[in-house]
Structures are given as C-alpha cells and as structure tokens.
Amino acid sequence: MDWHHQLLDSAIWLGKAFIISWLAVACLAALLGKFTDWGRQFLRVTWAWFSPARSLWPLAILSLLILMTLFSVRMEILFTFWNNGIYTAMQDFNAATFWSLLAVFCVLAAIHVTRALTNFYISQAFQIHWRVWLTETLMSRWLDKQAYYRSQHLPSRTDNPDQRIQQDVASFISTSLALFLGLISAVVSLFSFTLILWALSGTLTVFGVAIPRAMTFLVYVYVLIATVFAVKLGRPLIKLNFLNEKLNADFRYALIRLREYGENIAFFRGEAVEHRTLLKRFSSVIGNTWAIVFRSLKFQGFNLGVDQLAVVFPMVVQAPRFFSKQITLGDLMQTAQAFGQVQDSLSFFRTSYDEFASYRAVVNRLTGFLDTVDAADQLTMPQITHQGEDFAVESLNVNSPTGVTLTANLDLTLAPGAALLVRGPSGVGKTTLLRAIAGLWPYASGNIIYPAGQQSLFLPQKPYLPLGTLRSALYYPLAEPAQADDDAVRAILEQIQLGHLATQLDVENEWTNILSLGEQQRLAMGRVLLHRPQLVFLDEASSAMDEGLEHAMYSLLRKELPQVMLVSVGHRSSLAAFHSSELNLQGAGAWRLDSLS
C-alpha cells in the first residue's frame, strides 16, 4: 500500500466529510426542531448559546470538534489497512514489509495519541464554557422578576430547581456533546467501513440461494434485529431515570430541611417523625433504583450477548473463503475489524439507549424549569411606578389564592416622614397586603407609587442573613464597598446594641444559627440605618424584642431618619406612638384608616 497516497486521500476525505457532516447536522437540527418534542426542547434550552448573533465561537469550536471526530474515524480506517498489511506480511513471511509497517504504526500511533489528547482538551474547555453560560442564563431567569418567589404561587411548579440548575445542566451538556459527536462518528464510520466491507465481501450460498456481497447485508440485518429488541427492553428506562432524578432530589431536600430546622425539630423531639419521613423518601429512591437495576440487567445482558456474537460472526462467514485461499489472513482480519466498526456504528442507538433515556429525563427537567419561569413571569401583579417623593396606593385589591377578598379598593398616601401602622385580627391579610404592595403577591390589582429612586427596604419577622461575613449581612442587599467605613459600621452596631460583634465583622460563619432572632432583627434595623432608604416596610420586624428594645429601635429610626416613611405591621399597642396613622383591616375587604397624631 502507498501510504503517501493514503495521507493525501485522508486530507481530501476529511474535507468532504466535514462539509457533508455540517450539512447533515443543519438538516437534522431543522427536522428535529420542527417535528419532535425533544428536538424543540433541546433548541429551547441551548439555541441562544449557538446563535451566531450572540457569538461565532461556539460554532467554531463545535466545528473543530466535528473535524477531530472525523479525523478519529479516518485513523480507524488507516489502522484497518495497516492490520491487513501486517497480517498479510506475516502470512507471507515478508520481514521487510513487516518492519516497514511497524515504522508506519509508530507514526500512526503518535498522530492518534496527539489527536486524542487535543480532542480531550478542546472538548472539556467547550463543555466548561457552555456550562458557565447555561448556568448563568438559568440563574438569571430564576432571579429576574423574582421567579424564584413568584413560582411558589403557581398551581404546579418545578420541584428542586436547585438540582436542575446545578446537576442537570452539567449532565445535559456532557451528554449532549457525547451523543452528538458519537452520532457523527457512527454515521461516518458506517458509510466508510461499509465500503471497505463491500470490497472484502464475497458470495454466500444459503439454502441454495447465492447472496452476493453477503457480509454487507448480513451485518445490517443482524443489527436491525438486535436494535428492535434492545429498544423494547430499554424503553422503560426513560421513565425510571426521570423518577430517579426526582426521588433523589426529594430525599436530598428532606435532609436539607432537617438541617435548616434542626432547632425546631429538637425542641419538639420530632426525631421519630423526621426519621419516618426520611425513610419513606429513601425507600422510594431504593425501590426505583432496584427497578433500574433489573431493567438494566435485561438491557445490558442482551447488548453484551449481541456484541460477543459479533466478534466471531464475520470470521465464521469468511472462514470458507479463507481456507479456500480466496482471501488472505489480512483480508480476514480486516473484514472482522470492518464488520465490528459497521456493527458498532449501526448499534449506536441500541447501545446508547440507556444514556439517551437519562438524557431525555434531563431535557424534560430543564424545559420544565423554563416552563415554570415563564409561567411565573405571566402572573399578574399590581402596577408599580416610581415618581415623586410620596408613597401612594391607588385602588388596590388583594385576594387570597382561593379568590376571597382580603382588601378592597385601598387608597392611601404617605408623605416623607409619615408612618403607617397596619393592624387587624390574625389571618386578616396584613402580611399579604405588604406582599402585594411590594409586588410579590400575584392575586392583587391596582397601582403602587413608590418614591423616585426605588430606595426601599423590607424587614420581615425573620430576617435573611446571607452566607458570608457579618459585614456582608449588614450591607445586604448591596455589595460591600471596596473601602468600607469601619467607624460608621461600628457606630451602627453600638446604636442597635450589638457592639460586642464589632470585632467579628469580617468573620465568615453561619450567622443565622449564631445570632438569636432578636439580634437578627436588630441587625436588620442596622441595615436601615446604613442604607438610609426613603421607605421601610416592617412586618412584625421587632416581635422577638422586648418592649424596651422595640421602643429603643423605633426611637432610633425616627431620630436618625426623620424623613423615612414607615409601614409597620404589629400587634403591640406601644407601636402607635411611632406612627402617624393606622390602617385597620377588618376582613372581607373592609378597612379603616385613622389618624394617630
């Protein structure tokens, strides 16, 4: 064999195969995107990443990966010819050809190793950049327009969104690339090695009927029958893998809740109940895992049997021609290798069915996540505008999820320095009213006018302390400035009677578990002093303090921020002294606004 011509032919082959591959990919993507659900799901999740309008780099790197895959197929073709030559040289006892072919092997092996390492690096880099983009995109969708909160009000919402962003994204990207490049390799190998097998095949007589090029036809019939049975055996794996992801996520979520509410559970001595709940969820995980194991035993057992039979099948068919000296030992070995490559290529879908089943489950979970975000974006909310200096509510109607009217046609206005106390019986909708005013409650309508600048803070009964340092908790929701004024921060800690924490400002810890609820509420008051907003909502934000501390904190707010507008929800009559008006919710939509000055 003239290896110089082989190298030239390889270059021409790569160019043609690359162009044909891209045309096939474009046509396949268009067809799948139009006629299949999972094709539309895939494009929905990732089309923006590959869109030339955003960047040409993803398509350029993908093109390089396709070229490297085709290069791998061509190397396999060259190795089959090398195998033919080396075995033929051994059969003919041709030492010179044998040693020259060993030199050729060294060159081919060096090229093959270099290609494999280069392909690995490019593939990993591509997956990392893709994962960064998709994770950031999903996180932005989850956080923008407060979908993470609004989705709670949907009749059916996504379970375990954290898992979908973290785990499913990584699985989606790695499996997408593996299946895509594997499909290209399989199709190109199929055509290439079919031509080789066609050239090596002879006539086979079966029951008196002569079948020309029998080996080529037999491999297609062999794999077609195997694929039909494999699909039937593997189909249930799609649902089982989807359930596996969901049940594991539910179990993990139950463990996380045990950690988050550890103190409450410990006070109630609720270990037995929690244990039963965890065991119930874990039992579901194990039951589904056993179902996957038994189904996989059938599926993989069948595939292994098919693969083992494929090792000897071509030799059995070609053996009569070899022993009658119609073909050489090299031809026989190349036939077996070509048969194996064609069989592997045709069996791509069969052998990848379990992986594809897991992949479909991941795609369904990601598109389900996007469905939830889209549905959350469509929820109706009161119209919020920012203008002037006053805070106003116009024709606000607030309902419960079941349609019960909580507040009807509410109108009120607060000027700078004014303070409103919201009161009423428990369950009448005081906190829900604040949620509606903040634009978080979907069962409300009307107009909310905030002061220009959007400078407002919401202080719930249980403050939120982010992960990180005490300083970051104090500055939340703003980022820490590059050069913080430590003296001002320490002064605020002294004012809210947390001066003993001044030395721990830059200590990272689980501050939610370290500080008492009363200390957390005072820290939230410190945020107000630090940010100096125009408007503050306090939803029983001092309930964990004694009356003396509550009086001190409200006095501090009125002294340090005389122009701030306050909207407070509280039950203590002592709060009236710090407010200029009172909104009394009376139930069934009724309300009364009274002056306290």
Side-chain angles (χ1 to χ4, degrees), residues 222 296-311 343 350-351:
Y222 179 84
S296 296
L297 279 174
K298 299 175 184 178
F299 180 71
Q300 294 179 17
F302 177 78
N303 282 335
L304 287 172
V306 170
D307 291 340
Q308 291 302 308
L309 181 59
V311 174
Q343 188 259 343
R350 173 177 60 84
T351 55

Side-chain angles (χ1 to χ4, degrees), residues 229-303:
F229 283 99
V231 169
K232 185 176 180 61
L233 288 171
R235 186 181 298 276
L237 285 171
I238 294 179
K239 182 178 180 180
L240 291 173
N241 279 291
F242 182 88
L243 285 174
N244 184 58
E245 297 290 340
K246 181 182 184 302
L247 295 174
N248 273 291
D250 290 344
F251 177 55
R252 183 168 58 249
Y253 179 66
L255 290 171
I256 293 173
R257 280 181 57 85
L258 178 64
R259 183 182 62 189
E260 289 182 346
Y261 295 94
E263 184 178 39
N264 305 62
I265 295 169
F267 272 125
F268 280 107
R269 299 293 191 270
E271 294 82 4
V273 175
E274 297 299 325
H275 193 198
R276 284 195 298 272
T277 300
L278 291 173
L279 280 179
K280 181 180 178 181
R281 296 200 171 193
F282 184 63
S283 297
S284 299
V285 172
I286 295 302
N288 190 72
T289 301
W290 276 117
I292 292 176
V293 168
F294 292 132
R295 177 55 57 173
S296 296
L297 279 174
K298 299 175 184 178
F299 180 71
Q300 294 179 17
F302 177 78
N303 282 335

Side-chain angles (χ1 to χ4, degrees), residues 19 25 70 77-78 167 174 184 240 273 371 412 471 539 544:
I19 295 172
V25 167
L70 297 175
I77 294 173
L78 293 178
Q167 181 176 320
S174 61
I184 289 179
L240 291 173
V273 175
D371 288 339
L412 60 87
R471 186 193 301 274
D539 182 14

Side-chain angles (χ1 to χ4, degrees), residues 40 99 139 187 197 220 233 366 371 381 403 413 444 453 563:
R40 286 189 289 270
W99 292 112
M139 285 194 301
V187 172
L197 199 60
Y220 279 85
L233 288 171
L366 288 178
D371 288 339
M381 295 289 177
T413 300
Q563 293 300 304

Side-chain angles (χ1 to χ4, degrees), residues 355-402:
E355 186 177 10
F356 183 72
S358 300
Y359 180 68
R360 281 297 307 276
V362 170
V363 173
N364 287 337
R365 289 176 62 79
L366 288 178
T367 51
F369 174 86
L370 292 176
D371 288 339
T372 295
V373 174
D374 290 340
D377 290 345
Q378 298 301 316
L379 291 175
T380 58
M381 295 289 177
Q383 182 67 36
I384 296 179
T385 57
H386 298 268
Q387 62 183 36
E389 296 182 350
D390 295 347
F391 168 73
V393 174
E394 299 176 348
S395 303
L396 180 65
N397 295 284
V398 183
N399 301 317
S400 72
T402 58

Side-chain angles (χ1 to χ4, degrees), residues 53-75:
R54 187 191 68 85
S55 174
L56 292 174
W57 277 109
L59 289 177
I61 301 302
L62 185 61
S63 299
L64 183 57
L65 287 172
I66 292 175
L67 187 62
M68 299 295 284
T69 301
L70 297 175
F71 191 12
S72 174
V73 174
R74 189 60 188 179
M75 290 298 297

